[in-house]
Coordinates of all heavy atoms in Angstrom, one line a residue:
A30 N 59.6 167.0 118.6 CA 59.5 165.8 117.8 C 59.8 166.3 116.3 O 59.3 167.3 115.8 CB 58.1 165.3 117.8
S31 N 60.4 165.4 115.6 CA 60.8 165.7 114.2 C 60.3 164.6 113.3 O 60.2 163.3 113.8 CB 62.3 165.9 114.0 OG 63.0 164.7 114.4
G32 N 60.0 164.8 112.1 CA 59.5 163.7 111.3 C 58.0 164.1 110.8 O 57.6 165.2 111.0
S33 N 57.3 163.1 110.4 CA 55.9 163.2 110.0 C 55.0 163.1 111.1 O 54.9 161.9 111.7 CB 55.5 162.2 108.9 OG 54.2 162.3 108.5
I34 N 54.5 164.1 111.7 CA 53.8 164.2 112.9 C 52.2 164.5 112.6 O 51.9 165.5 112.0 CB 54.3 165.2 113.9 CG1 55.7 165.0 114.1 CG2 53.5 165.0 115.2 CD1 56.2 163.7 114.7
S35 N 51.4 163.6 113.0 CA 49.9 163.7 112.8 C 49.4 164.9 113.5 O 50.0 165.3 114.6 CB 49.3 162.4 113.3 OG 47.9 162.7 113.4
S36 N 48.4 165.5 113.0 CA 47.8 166.7 113.7 C 47.0 166.3 115.0 O 46.7 167.1 115.8 CB 46.8 167.4 112.8 OG 45.8 166.5 112.3
I37 N 46.8 164.9 115.1 CA 46.1 164.5 116.3 C 47.0 163.6 117.2 O 46.5 162.9 118.0 CB 44.8 163.6 115.9 CG1 45.2 162.4 115.0 CG2 43.8 164.6 115.1 CD1 44.1 161.5 114.8
A38 N 48.3 163.8 117.0 CA 49.2 163.0 117.8 C 49.1 163.4 119.3 O 48.8 164.6 119.6 CB 50.6 163.2 117.3
V39 N 49.3 162.5 120.1 CA 49.2 162.8 121.6 C 50.7 162.7 122.1 O 51.5 161.9 121.8 CB 48.4 161.6 122.4 CG1 48.5 161.9 123.9 CG2 47.0 161.6 121.8
M40 N 51.0 163.8 122.9 CA 52.3 163.9 123.4 C 52.3 163.8 125.0 O 51.2 164.2 125.5 CB 53.0 165.2 122.9 CG 53.1 165.4 121.5 SD 54.1 166.7 120.9 CE 55.8 166.1 121.2
G41 N 53.3 163.4 125.5 CA 53.3 163.4 127.0 C 54.7 163.1 127.6 O 55.7 163.0 127.0
W42 N 54.6 162.9 128.9 CA 55.8 162.6 129.7 C 55.6 161.5 130.7 O 54.4 161.4 131.3 CB 56.2 163.9 130.6 CG 56.7 165.0 129.7 CD1 55.9 166.1 129.3 CD2 58.0 165.3 129.3 NE1 56.6 166.9 128.6 CE2 57.9 166.5 128.5 CE3 59.2 164.6 129.4 CZ2 59.1 167.0 128.0 CZ3 60.3 165.2 128.8 CH2 60.2 166.4 128.1
Y43 N 56.5 160.6 130.7 CA 56.5 159.6 131.7 C 57.8 159.6 132.5 O 58.8 160.4 132.1 CB 56.5 158.2 131.0 CG 55.2 157.8 130.4 CD1 54.8 158.5 129.2 CD2 54.5 156.8 130.8 CE1 53.6 158.2 128.6 CE2 53.3 156.4 130.2 CZ 52.8 157.0 129.1 OH 51.6 156.8 128.6
R44 N 57.9 158.9 133.6 CA 59.1 158.9 134.4 C 59.3 157.5 135.0 O 58.4 156.8 135.2 CB 59.1 160.0 135.5 CG 58.0 159.7 136.6 CD 58.0 160.9 137.6 NE 57.0 160.7 138.7 CZ 56.7 161.6 139.6 NH1 57.3 162.7 139.6 NH2 55.9 161.2 140.6
Q45 N 60.6 157.3 135.3 CA 60.9 156.0 135.9 C 62.0 156.3 137.0 O 63.1 156.7 136.7 CB 61.5 155.0 134.8 CG 61.7 153.7 135.4 CD 61.9 152.6 134.3 OE1 62.2 153.0 133.2 NE2 61.8 151.4 134.6
A46 N 61.6 156.0 138.2 CA 62.5 156.1 139.3 C 63.3 154.8 139.4 O 62.8 153.7 138.9 CB 61.8 156.4 140.6
P47 N 64.5 154.8 140.1 CA 65.2 153.5 140.3 C 64.4 152.4 140.9 O 63.6 152.7 141.9 CB 66.4 154.0 141.3 CG 66.5 155.4 141.0 CD 65.1 156.0 140.8
E48 N 64.5 151.3 140.3 CA 63.7 150.1 140.8 C 62.2 150.2 140.8 O 61.5 149.4 141.5 CB 64.2 149.7 142.2 CG 65.7 149.5 142.2 CD 66.2 149.0 143.7 OE1 65.4 149.0 144.5 OE2 67.4 148.7 143.8
K49 N 61.7 151.1 140.0 CA 60.3 151.3 139.9 C 59.9 151.2 138.4 O 60.8 151.4 137.5 CB 59.7 152.6 140.5 CG 60.0 152.7 142.0 CD 59.3 153.9 142.5 CE 59.3 153.9 144.0 NZ 58.6 155.1 144.6
Q50 N 58.6 150.9 138.2 CA 58.1 150.9 136.8 C 57.9 152.3 136.2 O 57.7 153.2 137.0 CB 56.8 150.1 136.8 CG 56.9 148.7 137.0 CD 55.6 147.9 136.7 OE1 54.6 148.5 136.9 NE2 55.7 146.6 136.4
R51 N 58.0 152.4 134.9 CA 57.8 153.6 134.3 C 56.3 154.1 134.6 O 55.4 153.2 134.4 CB 58.0 153.5 132.8 CG 58.1 154.9 132.1 CD 58.6 154.7 130.6 NE 60.0 154.3 130.6 CZ 60.7 154.2 129.5 NH1 60.2 154.6 128.4 NH2 61.9 153.7 129.5
E52 N 56.0 155.3 134.8 CA 54.7 155.8 135.1 C 54.4 157.0 134.3 O 55.2 157.9 134.0 CB 54.5 156.0 136.6 CG 55.4 157.1 137.2 CD 55.1 157.4 138.6 OE1 54.3 156.7 139.2 OE2 55.7 158.4 139.1
L53 N 53.1 157.2 134.1 CA 52.7 158.4 133.3 C 52.7 159.6 134.3 O 52.3 159.5 135.4 CB 51.2 158.2 132.9 CG 50.5 159.4 132.3 CD1 51.1 159.7 131.0 CD2 49.0 159.1 132.2
V54 N 53.2 160.7 133.7 CA 53.2 162.0 134.5 C 52.1 162.9 133.9 O 51.3 163.3 134.7 CB 54.6 162.7 134.3 CG1 54.5 164.0 135.0 CG2 55.7 161.8 134.9
A55 N 52.1 163.0 132.6 CA 51.1 163.8 132.0 C 51.1 163.6 130.5 O 52.1 163.3 129.9 CB 51.4 165.3 132.3
I56 N 49.8 163.8 130.0 CA 49.7 163.6 128.5 C 48.8 164.8 128.0 O 48.0 165.4 128.8 CB 49.1 162.3 128.0 CG1 47.7 162.1 128.7 CG2 50.1 161.2 128.3 CD1 47.0 160.9 128.1
I57 N 49.0 165.1 126.7 CA 48.2 166.2 126.2 C 47.9 166.0 124.8 O 48.8 165.8 123.9 CB 48.9 167.6 126.4 CG1 48.0 168.7 125.9 CG2 50.2 167.6 125.8 CD1 48.4 170.1 126.4
P58 N 46.6 165.8 124.4 CA 46.3 165.7 122.9 C 46.5 167.0 122.2 O 46.7 168.0 122.9 CB 44.8 165.3 123.0 CG 44.5 164.9 124.4 CD 45.5 165.7 125.3
S59 N 46.4 166.9 121.0 CA 46.7 168.2 120.2 C 45.7 169.3 120.4 O 46.0 170.4 120.4 CB 46.7 167.9 118.6 OG 45.4 167.4 118.2
G60 N 44.4 169.0 120.8 CA 43.4 169.9 120.9 C 42.5 169.7 122.1 O 41.6 170.3 122.3
G61 N 43.0 168.7 122.9 CA 42.1 168.4 124.0 C 42.6 168.8 125.4 O 43.7 169.6 125.5
L62 N 42.0 168.3 126.4 CA 42.4 168.6 127.8 C 43.6 167.8 128.3 O 43.7 166.6 127.9 CB 41.2 168.4 128.8 CG 40.1 169.4 128.6 CD1 39.0 169.0 129.5 CD2 40.5 170.8 128.8
A63 N 44.5 168.3 128.9 CA 45.6 167.6 129.5 C 45.2 166.7 130.6 O 44.2 167.0 131.3 CB 46.7 168.5 130.0
D64 N 45.9 165.6 130.8 CA 45.7 164.7 131.9 C 47.0 164.6 132.7 O 48.0 164.3 132.2 CB 45.2 163.4 131.4 CG 44.8 162.4 132.5 OD1 44.5 162.9 133.6 OD2 44.7 161.2 132.3
V65 N 46.9 164.8 134.0 CA 48.1 164.9 134.8 C 47.9 163.9 136.0 O 46.8 163.8 136.5 CB 48.3 166.3 135.4 CG1 49.5 166.3 136.3 CG2 48.4 167.3 134.3
A66 N 49.0 163.2 136.3 CA 48.9 162.2 137.3 C 48.6 162.9 138.7 O 49.0 164.0 139.0 CB 50.2 161.5 137.5

């Protein structure tokens, strides 16, 4: 990520398969525990 990024920004990954809705794969806060599908 580039630009002005907060120290508490949450980053993650989503995915979208053909003909399906976008879904959460995993997220990770800046200092917390990750959450994985």
